Amino acid sequence: MFTALASFAMRGPVQAGLMAATTLMLAILLPPLAWLSGAVPALVVLRLGPLAGLRVAGIGLAAAAGFALLAMGQAVQVFAVAAVFWLPAGLLAALLRSSIRLDLTLLAAASAALLVVLTIFTASADPAAFWQEVLTQMLGAADIAAQTGVDAADLQALVDRVSQLMTGALAATLLLSALLSLLLARSWQATLYNPGGFGEEFRGLRLGRGAALLATLICALAFVSRGELAVNLAVVVLTLYLFQGLALVHGVIAIRRLGSGWLFALYGLLLFLMPQMMLLLGALGLADAWIDMRARMAPGDDGAD
């Protein structure tokens, strides 16, 4: 199905724009479709260049704004949502097109996310206090406590803890969204024009020792100091290394020829145990940066697969 969608998008800018707009609007009902929406202009950028991507984005914005006006009577939110899901994926696609290096592109995306965290902490004396106020208003903690019988103090304590991680969670979510759209676009590009190329590229993904050293220092500082800034930076770092962890698992499964059932199990666990699996895969990816597990598991003299 996804291959047919990608093929349709590559028929021309109007088709791609309409597909991006339609999936963006449908994401209101099914949020993961926003990643698919971001993958459409990213695919066009990868294949045809940034100018073609801009044409698609323009057509898509016009179509999405029209849909929004008909459905909701206003279209301002559409431009903000499109900027969040289309712009980062498109910029990363342009970088990947010019550099032809997936590792460099992921590192650039993570650097931008880390910069977001640093900027927020520089601009605000107490980001957690801001998020605490936002979460309290959004959730209506007092009302929830009254309706569910949960102790209000316990609920407020949970809000306080979550608010301390919200800056890193925001940056990590933006990073995750942009990279998922980019990788989906890259897989479409390979399916249409270079079958099997993306699988080989992704399975070989390694982010390098220099990045691993910085990531390890950030995570160690977060673990030892429990400082709010370090912890929020570590959230972004582990989100980045989630992708090297996934590449590691894909690589090991291919090396050992374990079958696709293992991948179904992996992504099933990711779906139902997302926070725990993201933490586990992020830690696994960071460990792989130092150990190079795929090289150690590669076939040796004994002929093992």
Side-chain angles (χ1 to χ4, degrees):
M1 181 182 74
F2 284 165
T3 303
L5 292 176
S7 179
F8 175 79
M10 293 307 297
R11 290 180 184 176
V14 173
Q15 291 89 334
L18 289 175
M19 180 177 162
T22 301
T23 49
L24 187 69
M25 297 306 296
L26 289 175
I28 298 173
L29 302 176
L30 191 61
L33 286 177
W35 301 331
L36 189 148
S37 179
V40 176
L43 171 63
V44 175
V45 171
L46 284 172
R47 183 63 182 174
L48 302 175
L51 290 179
L54 285 174
R55 285 195 292 271
V56 168
I59 294 170
L61 278 174
F67 294 156
L69 284 172
L70 290 174
M72 301 178 291
Q74 55 182 344
V76 176
Q77 297 90 336
V78 168
F79 295 96
V81 174
V84 169
F85 289 103
W86 295 358
L87 182 59
L91 290 174
L92 292 177
L95 176 58
L96 180 56
R97 174 183 167 86
S98 63
S99 67
I100 322 177
R101 286 189 55 184
L102 186 59
D103 59 337
L104 178 64
T105 305
L106 265 65
L107 289 172
S111 298
L114 290 171
L115 184 60
V116 168
V117 174
L118 291 171
T119 301
I120 292 175
F121 270 84
T122 301
S124 174
D126 190 359
F130 167 78
W131 289 116
Q132 182 181 351
E133 182 178 352
V134 171
L135 291 173
T136 300
Q137 292 177 354
M138 287 179 56
L139 297 175
D143 294 336
I144 293 177
Q147 294 171 6
T148 62
V150 176
D151 184 75
D154 291 341
L155 190 58
Q156 188 59 50
L158 176 61
V159 169
D160 293 345
R161 287 195 295 271
V162 171
S163 66
Q164 294 175 1
L165 297 173
M166 278 299 296
T167 300
L170 171 65
T173 300
L174 293 173
L175 173 64
L176 183 66
S177 174
L179 291 182
L180 286 174
S181 291
L182 175 70
L183 293 175
L184 180 57
R186 189 65 160 177
S187 70
W188 284 349
Q189 182 190 30
T191 300
L192 294 175
Y193 307 107
N194 182 27
F198 174 72
E200 182 178 351
E201 180 181 35
F202 185 67
R203 288 191 295 270
L205 175 66
R206 289 180 57 80
L207 298 174
R209 290 286 178 87
L213 176 60
L214 179 59
T216 301
L217 290 174
I218 290 173
C219 291
L221 181 61
F223 181 77
V224 172
S225 71
R226 305 289 181 177
E228 192 174 323
L229 174 58
V231 170
N232 280 273
L233 292 174
V235 171
V236 175
V237 165
L238 288 174
T239 301
L240 169 66
Y241 276 90
L242 159 70
F243 291 94
Q244 181 158 334
L246 286 172
L248 167 63
V249 175
H250 276 259
V252 170
I253 288 174
I255 290 169
R256 296 299 182 185
R257 300 182 183 179
L258 297 177
S260 59
W262 288 89
L263 290 177
F264 281 113
L266 170 67
Y267 287 102
L269 288 172
L270 259 175
L271 180 63
F272 293 105
L273 298 172
M274 184 170 289
Q276 297 89 338
M277 287 298 296
M278 287 182 66
L279 180 61
L280 175 61
L281 286 168
L284 190 62
L286 187 53
D288 178 61
W290 297 107
I291 302 173
D292 193 0
M293 300 179 191
R294 280 161 284 186
R296 292 173 180 269
M297 294 184 181
D301 295 337
D302 59 356
D305 290 322

